[in-house]
Amino acid sequence: MDRPDQRPHPPLRPLWLCRVCLTTWPCPAAREALLRAYAEDRVGLCLFLAPLMLDADADLRALHPADPPSPAELFRRFLRWVRRPRPAPPRW
């Protein structure tokens, strides 16, 4: 049997929730899996996620026309976490 942390965590569209943990997608487990899958290609990961962000924007605006997510929210949710961590400053 798969361990829960090894199961895929795909999005449930048009709600854009994780099909496994029912949190906003990409959930922490999906993010971790995507970072592993694109470990050497962060640009490729962004190119994979950007169209999904646009799809989520369209879906969520259709579902919640009075209160759609802001572009900043969607950016944080889909792309901001992809950045490479900055190295810690040297400790003198």
Side-chain angles (χ1 to χ4, degrees), residues 33-76:
L34 288 164
L35 286 171
R36 276 194 314 271
Y38 286 88
E40 301 301 318
D41 188 10
R42 295 285 173 108
V43 171
L45 178 54
C46 288
L47 292 173
F48 172 74
L49 289 170
L52 295 178
M53 180 181 71
L54 296 175
D55 288 350
D57 181 52
D59 289 345
L60 294 171
R61 283 182 185 284
L63 288 173
H64 309 286
D67 188 27
S70 72
E73 287 175 73
L74 289 171
F75 174 78
R76 281 191 297 275

Side-chain angles (χ1 to χ4, degrees), residues 65-86:
D67 188 27
S70 72
E73 287 175 73
L74 289 171
F75 174 78
R76 281 191 297 275
R77 183 171 163 181
F78 281 84
L79 294 171
R80 184 173 178 200
W81 57 271
V82 174
R83 294 185 303 182
R84 288 197 187 278
R86 295 181 186 200

Side-chain angles (χ1 to χ4, degrees), residues 2 11-13 15 18 20 26 32 34 36 43 63-64 66 82 89:
D2 288 334
L12 174 63
R13 295 175 73 175
L15 301 174
C18 173
V20 176
E32 185 178 319
L34 288 164
R36 276 194 314 271
V43 171
L63 288 173
H64 309 286
V82 174

